[in-house]
């Protein structure tokens, strides 16, 4: 757990440290917003690059608070806290990748995203795919609580429905991870986003229906 926490704090503060070091080398004006076509629609001050790293730190602190609450709701052991930290680490890895991508675009003043060799949607959804595989593997062991896990009013009906729903959601998360990985490897840009979001929503609806069905059955 100590190693996980060290990694967690490194990932939480690394984007800010990297950005502060990079600011003196960035151009005074950087791309601040892109439209759906990937073209710059607004230029901003290079100091705006600090906004996203600060958001990452706030997000990291929020997850730590959630971990403490989840730990208090667990009668025996601290598995919920460990799972929350792992989820936080996975999320922070995604944010770190995005922060690095944004710094690259700022440094080279990228005006058209189509000129960048790495597609941001492919990068984001491929990392999310790996995250789904990791989280899905952890889901079945999550103890009943009000903060983490697959939570609906039906999955939280009792311990039996909770366990069944977490097991089912764990499998669906891993299946979703494989699907997102395939989509991110075979498509890009708008098509990648559209197919990925469709897959996510379909899987969410399937999980919700299963929790309803399980609660009624039990």
């Amino acid at each position: 757990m100590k190693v996980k926490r060290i990694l967690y704090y490194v990932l939480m503060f690394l984007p800010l440290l990297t950005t502060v070091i990079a600011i003196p080398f960035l151009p005074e004006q950087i791309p601040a917003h892109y439209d759906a076509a990937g073209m710059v629609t607004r230029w901003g001050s290079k100091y705006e690059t600090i906004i996203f790293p600060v958001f990452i730190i706030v997000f990291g602190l929020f997850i730590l608070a959630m971990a403490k609450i989840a730990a208090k709701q667990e009668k025996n052991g601290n598995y919920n806290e460990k799972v929350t930290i792992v989820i936080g680490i996975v999320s922070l890895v995604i944010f770190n990748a995005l922060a690095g991508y944004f710094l690259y675009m700022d440094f080279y003043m990228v005006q058209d995203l189509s000129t960048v060799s790495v597609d941001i949607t492919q990068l984001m959804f491929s990392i999310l795919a790996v995250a789904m595989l990791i989280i899905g593997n952890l889901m079945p062991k999550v103890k009943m609580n009000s903060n983490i896990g697959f939570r609906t009013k039906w999955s939280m009906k009792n311990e039996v429905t909770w366990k069944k729903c977490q097991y089912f959601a764990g499998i669906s998360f891993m299946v979703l991870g494989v699907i997102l990985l395939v989509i991110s490897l075979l498509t890009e840009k708008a098509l990648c986003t559209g197919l990925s979001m469709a897959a996510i929503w379909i899987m969410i609806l399937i999980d919700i229906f299963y929790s309803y069905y399980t609660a009624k059955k039990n």
Side-chain angles (χ1 to χ4, degrees), residues 7-24:
L7 177 60
Y8 187 96
Y9 282 112
V10 169
L11 291 172
M12 189 167 73
F13 290 103
L14 182 59
L16 180 61
L17 177 62
T18 305
T19 300
V20 170
I21 294 174
I23 281 179

Side-chain angles (χ1 to χ4, degrees), residues 42-109:
R42 185 178 76 83
W43 295 85
S45 168
K46 64 180 181 180
Y47 295 102
E48 290 185 35
T49 55
I50 297 178
I51 296 175
F52 189 58
V54 170
F55 163 79
I56 293 175
I57 293 175
V58 173
F59 172 83
L61 294 174
F62 171 76
I63 294 296
L64 288 175
M66 293 289 286
K68 289 184 178 180
I69 295 173
K72 291 180 180 179
Q73 294 180 349
E74 189 173 5
K75 296 179 181 178
N76 299 308
N78 60 344
Y79 190 82
N80 285 358
E81 182 180 12
K82 291 180 180 179
V83 172
T84 308
I85 294 297
V86 171
I87 292 173
I89 289 173
V90 171
S91 302
L92 289 172
V93 168
I94 295 175
F95 287 146
N96 272 254
L98 289 175
Y101 189 88
F102 294 155
L103 276 179
Y104 173 86
M105 292 190 296
D106 294 341
F107 186 80
Y108 289 100
M109 301 178 68

Side-chain angles (χ1 to χ4, degrees), residues 154-165 214-215 218:
W154 301 295
S155 68
M156 298 187 70
K157 181 179 180 181
N158 53 52
E159 289 288 347
V160 175
T161 57
W162 174 267
K163 290 180 180 179
K164 288 184 176 181
C165 289
T214 303
N218 291 277

Side-chain angles (χ1 to χ4, degrees), residues 148-191:
I148 63 170
F150 179 58
R151 294 174 291 109
T152 66
K153 67 177 182 179
W154 301 295
S155 68
M156 298 187 70
K157 181 179 180 181
N158 53 52
E159 289 288 347
V160 175
T161 57
W162 174 267
K163 290 180 180 179
K164 288 184 176 181
C165 289
Q166 302 315 303
Y167 182 79
F168 184 86
I171 294 175
S172 69
F173 269 46
M174 289 188 282
V175 171
L176 178 61
V178 173
I179 294 173
L180 291 180
L181 191 59
V182 172
I183 292 174
S184 63
L185 291 175
L186 299 180
T187 63
E188 58 183 21
K189 297 182 173 62
L191 181 59

